[in-house]
């Protein structure tokens, strides 16, 4: 049976530390870390961010953190692109998928696969193995949603699949999987109507408000 169109809660684990709302620690993947002690397992940018937060919120720094802060924040353009693409998916594309009623088209199994893509794409079958999560490429999205790479490219070209660009490559997130699963249930005429609706939505007040919300959320994430 199709699922209710209410927008499900979404959590995408980012591969770098993000400041916790209480400003007493940070989140890394799916775990919360209390305080801002240096973590040698992180890359330089992650360690620099933690040292910066420790200094900003009055925590004690060790010698390694003081040395890190003597240099500017390391540049990570790919990481920033991934952050922006993830933010757009959460703040813009997923709400629009709910607004278009696409969740109503998905079965329980499809919703589960969309939110847990590793169930079909693999990963975590062996201890220590990394699960296959978003972002995914054209071939992986086709495999996940039971269609073909050619069909995915046609849908994306027609503006029917939201996509982000990371390191010069087209990448897809949860909203694209929701769209692709739903498109498989639509007739040719329904797909044409959806394409027209999505094109018209760019001039709609709701779409503009979502864009403004996305930009504001992006500024907050960048500042942290």
């Amino acid at each position: 049976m199709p699922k209710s169109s209410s927008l499900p809660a979404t959590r995408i684990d980012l591969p770098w530390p993000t400041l916790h709302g209480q400003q007493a620690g940070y989140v890394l993947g799916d775990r919360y870390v209390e305080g801002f002690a240096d973590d040698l397992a992180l890359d330089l940018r992650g360690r620099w961010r933690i040292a910066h937060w420790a200094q900003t919120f009055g925590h004690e720094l060790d010698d390694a953190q003081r040395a890190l802060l003597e240099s500017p924040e390391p540049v990570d353009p790919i990481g920033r692109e991934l952050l922006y693409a993830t933010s757009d998916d959460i703040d813009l594309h997923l709400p629009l998928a709910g607004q278009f009623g696409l969740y109503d088209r998905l079965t329980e199994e499809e919703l589960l696969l969309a939110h847990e893509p590793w169930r079909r794409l693999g990963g975590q079958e062996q201890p220590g193995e990394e699960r296959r999560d978003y972002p995914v490429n054209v071939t992986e999205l086709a495999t996940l949603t039971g269609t073909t790479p050619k069909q995915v490219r046609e849908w994306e070209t027609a503006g029917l699949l939201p996509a982000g660009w990371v390191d010069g490559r087209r990448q897809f997130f949860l909203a694209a999987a929701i769209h692709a699963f739903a498109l498989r249930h639509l007739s040719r005429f329904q797909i044409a109507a959806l394409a027209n609706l999505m094109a018209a939505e760019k001039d709609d007040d709701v779409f503009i408000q979502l864009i403004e919300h996305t930009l504001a959320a992006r500024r907050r994430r960048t500042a942290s």
Side-chain angles (χ1 to χ4, degrees), residues 12 82 85-86 89 113-123 130-147 149 152-153 156 161-181:
I12 297 179
L82 180 58
T86 303
D89 199 65
L113 287 172
H115 282 277
E116 299 180 2
W118 54 89
R119 289 179 177 269
R120 178 163 287 175
L121 298 180
E130 183 177 355
R131 70 186 185 188
R132 191 68 193 91
D133 208 340
Y134 298 109
V136 296
N137 59 32
V138 169
T139 301
E140 290 169 328
L141 182 63
T143 300
L144 174 63
T145 57
T147 185
V152 168
R153 293 188 185 95
E156 198 273 332
L161 292 180
W165 288 87
V166 180
D167 194 22
R169 296 180 177 86
R170 179 171 44 198
Q171 300 287 333
F172 299 96
F173 295 81
L174 173 57
I178 298 293
H179 278 246
F181 274 124

Side-chain angles (χ1 to χ4, degrees), residues 46-78:
R47 294 177 61 203
W48 190 98
R49 286 167 67 93
I50 293 172
H52 171 69
W53 293 330
Q55 183 182 64
T56 301
F57 301 115
H59 290 252
E60 184 176 353
L61 282 74
D62 61 25
D63 291 341
Q65 289 179 312
R66 294 189 188 92
L68 283 170
L69 293 179
E70 290 178 358
S71 301
E73 181 178 6
V75 177
D76 180 12
I78 295 176

Side-chain angles (χ1 to χ4, degrees), residues 190-219:
Q190 289 173 319
I191 291 175
L194 177 61
N196 290 333
L197 178 62
M198 292 180 68
E201 199 71 21
K202 291 182 174 62
D203 296 323
D204 187 85
D205 288 342
V206 174
F207 187 89
I208 294 173
Q209 290 172 8
L210 282 168
I211 287 288
E212 292 174 346
H213 173 73
T214 298
L215 293 175
R218 176 180 292 180
R219 285 193 293 269

Side-chain angles (χ1 to χ4, degrees), residues 75-120:
V75 177
D76 180 12
I78 295 176
R80 188 170 295 272
E81 289 174 356
L82 180 58
L83 175 62
Y84 286 172
T86 303
S87 299
D88 286 348
D89 199 65
I90 295 172
D91 298 322
L92 176 61
H93 300 311
L94 282 171
L96 282 175
Q99 181 181 327
F100 293 141
L102 299 184
Y103 286 94
D104 286 337
R105 303 287 181 173
L106 272 63
T107 65
E108 294 280 354
E109 180 184 4
E110 289 170 339
L111 273 175
L112 179 62
L113 287 172
H115 282 277
E116 299 180 2
W118 54 89
R119 289 179 177 269
R120 178 163 287 175

